[in-house]
Amino acid sequence: MPHHGNEEEHGASGDRRDDERRDAANQESEPQKPVIHDNRKVDPKTGQARHPDQERAAGESDAGDALSQAEDILNSVDVPAAESVAQGVNAGEAEELKNDLRRLQAEYVNYRKRVERDRAVAGEMAVIGVLNALLPVLDDVDAARQHGDLADGPFAAIAAKLESALKTYGLMRIDETGVEFDPTIHEALIQQPGPDVETDTVSQVLRSGYKSGDRVLRAAQVIVAVPA
């Protein structure tokens, strides 16, 4: 049978195929070695800390990172100053914006004043509630003083301290006699003709009244002398 080409080349190609088959057979016969991954956070050779996230990010392709591409596009976009909103506002719109700002500022000032007023009223009502709760105690103190039980001793000092402390909160007593009868602060229980009076006059206080500032907490119960 005739041979085509060089016999030496055919022999060399046959030898290479034999070598490849032997290598493949050796690889199949040899057991595969386990792959060991070094997950240590510190490089044993350099002593430097490893950053697995940075190493993986460095190994990835920038072309496949959509987030990085989007950030690069956004950072590379420049908005011309002529196309900004402020440049497109005319004088009328600017004046309208200023008026809106003034109205908003006025509303805020009114809101702040209203909140402060409500806070002051709430504090005043709290004080008045405490004072009203202590009025019966003050009546007992007055009764004890009229009977001579508070002429001297520790209870007299305690009563004086209590009355002084309540005065600091604006509590004022209504117990004057010889003054003109005022229905806003006096409650007339008895009327008697008075020979020396020209108008209705308080002649005697049966129970003291109290007020805090301009607010009357309790009207004084009095005997009124009327002109004869």
Side-chain angles (χ1 to χ4, degrees):
M1 183 178 179
H3 295 283
H4 299 282
N6 193 350
E7 295 181 356
E8 294 180 357
E9 293 179 357
H10 288 285
S13 61
D15 295 339
R16 284 196 296 270
R17 286 194 295 270
D18 293 338
D19 294 338
E20 290 176 358
R21 285 194 294 269
R22 284 194 297 271
D23 293 339
N26 292 333
Q27 290 179 0
E28 292 177 357
S29 61
E30 292 180 359
Q32 295 184 354
K33 297 181 180 180
V35 180
I36 300 175
H37 298 281
D38 190 357
N39 295 326
R40 288 176 289 184
K41 296 182 179 181
V42 179
D43 192 339
K45 296 182 179 180
T46 62
Q48 299 294 329
R50 291 178 175 175
H51 302 281
D53 295 337
Q54 296 180 0
E55 293 176 357
R56 286 194 298 267
E60 295 176 353
S61 175
D62 294 337
D65 192 350
L67 181 59
S68 298
Q69 292 180 5
E71 292 179 353
D72 293 340
I73 294 173
L74 292 175
N75 293 330
S76 62
V77 173
D78 294 330
V79 179
E83 297 179 1
S84 62
V85 178
Q87 295 291 335
V89 176
N90 55 30
E93 293 177 351
E95 186 64 25
E96 185 177 358
L97 291 175
K98 289 181 181 179
N99 292 334
D100 292 340
L101 181 60
R102 294 190 187 99
R103 284 193 295 269
L104 182 61
Q105 185 178 8
E107 291 177 359
Y108 171 72
V109 171
N110 293 333
Y111 169 76
R112 185 178 61 182
K113 291 181 179 179
R114 184 168 61 254
V115 170
E116 292 176 354
R117 183 174 61 252
D118 293 343
R119 186 183 296 113
V121 171
E124 182 180 356
M125 294 303 298
V127 172
I128 289 175
V130 174
L131 295 178
N132 283 325
L134 292 176
L135 293 184
V137 178
L138 296 177
D139 293 339
D140 294 340
V141 170
D142 289 340
R145 185 178 286 113
Q146 291 175 3
H147 287 82
D149 296 335
L150 294 180
D152 195 5
F155 290 104
I158 293 173
K161 289 180 180 179
L162 175 62
E163 293 172 343
S164 177
L166 294 178
K167 287 181 180 179
T168 60
Y169 289 95
L171 183 65
M172 293 180 291
R173 186 189 296 269
I174 304 174
D175 59 352
E176 293 181 342
T177 59
V179 298
E180 185 178 356
F181 174 78
D182 185 355
T184 60
I185 61 175
H186 297 138
E187 180 184 358
L189 298 182
I190 301 174
Q191 289 185 350
Q192 296 175 344
D196 299 333
V197 296
E198 298 179 357
T199 59
D200 295 348
T201 306
V202 176
S203 60
Q204 184 178 353
V205 177
L206 301 179
R207 190 183 69 174
S208 299
Y210 294 93
K211 65 179 181 178
S212 177
D214 296 333
R215 182 188 295 271
V216 178
L217 303 181
R218 189 181 69 185
Q221 295 179 351
V222 298
I223 298 176
V224 181
V226 299

